[in-house]
Amino acid sequence: MSMPMTIREYLRACDIDFEEVPHPREVTSSRIAERTHVAGNQMAKAVMLQGDAGYRLAVLPSTCDADLDRLSALFHEKVELASEAQIAETFSDCDPGATTPVGQAYGLQVYIDDMLRHQPDIYFEAGDHQTLVHMSGREFDRLMTASPHGRFSRHH
């Protein structure tokens, strides 16, 4: 599989300058970062959340876990991780477990952890387990300009 058209077309529609970086098949963002020699704090991972207001996407460095208490406080409602079935239904053209941070392309509100802002480069899953999207931090900030941000990650 390669990058789903949903993601490719969204990035093109936003006029984002990016490149696709092939990598050996891996299923965790931290292993991908290790295998591709990308700094963990520049590898963005997406965590889909569920709350009373619906689904949201939290985007944070691969070296961190989402702090659900902080996210609940940020959203003023209790949130929990979405189920694998809910994720697969939302990201239907992505490989299972290859959730992309470009949740806007799937109609989700995206929240960015402050640790990802102003990085020189950002990498993230392209929707499969064999391709990364690479863009400059400036392009990533532009892509996520309408996304609220805050500090909601903790090192694992």
Side-chain angles (χ1 to χ4, degrees):
M1 189 179 169
S2 60
M3 181 191 300
M5 288 305 293
T6 307
I7 300 166
R8 183 184 314 279
E9 292 304 318
Y10 185 82
L11 292 173
R12 285 187 179 145
C14 293
D15 196 30
I16 298 296
D17 187 21
F18 69 96
E19 68 172 335
E20 295 177 51
V21 180
H23 64 80
R25 183 173 173 80
E26 287 290 347
V27 294
T28 65
S29 52
S30 53
R31 285 283 299 142
I32 294 166
E34 191 178 298
R35 295 275 305 262
T36 56
H37 307 289
V38 170
N41 62 342
Q42 292 181 355
M43 176 72 78
K45 70 177 179 182
V47 177
M48 191 165 137
L49 306 167
Q50 169 187 339
D52 291 339
Y55 298 114
R56 300 180 175 100
L57 206 63
V59 179
L60 57 155
S62 68
T63 53
C64 297
D65 291 321
D67 185 327
L68 294 178
D69 291 334
R70 281 189 190 167
L71 283 161
S72 293
L74 181 68
F75 302 145
H76 307 293
E77 69 168 306
K78 182 160 177 44
V79 294
E80 55 191 28
L81 298 176
S83 72
E84 291 297 323
Q86 292 161 330
I87 296 167
E89 186 178 321
T90 302
F91 293 92
S92 59
D93 60 351
C94 295
D95 282 350
T99 307
T100 178
V102 190
Q104 306 94 318
Y106 295 87
L108 294 175
Q109 175 65 62
V110 176
Y111 295 81
I112 304 297
D113 189 88
D114 284 340
M115 290 175 61
L116 286 175
R117 299 178 72 229
H118 314 300
Q119 290 287 345
D121 290 280
I122 294 289
Y123 297 80
F124 57 83
E125 281 275 16
D128 63 10
H129 290 293
Q130 297 172 293
T131 313
L132 288 179
V133 173
H134 167 236
M135 62 184 63
S136 70
R138 190 173 59 255
E139 286 295 280
F140 184 75
D141 288 344
R142 205 164 65 78
L143 176 64
M144 299 296 177
T145 193
S147 299
H149 60 88
R151 183 68 190 271
F152 50 78
S153 64
R154 61 172 188 271
H155 286 280
H156 48 167

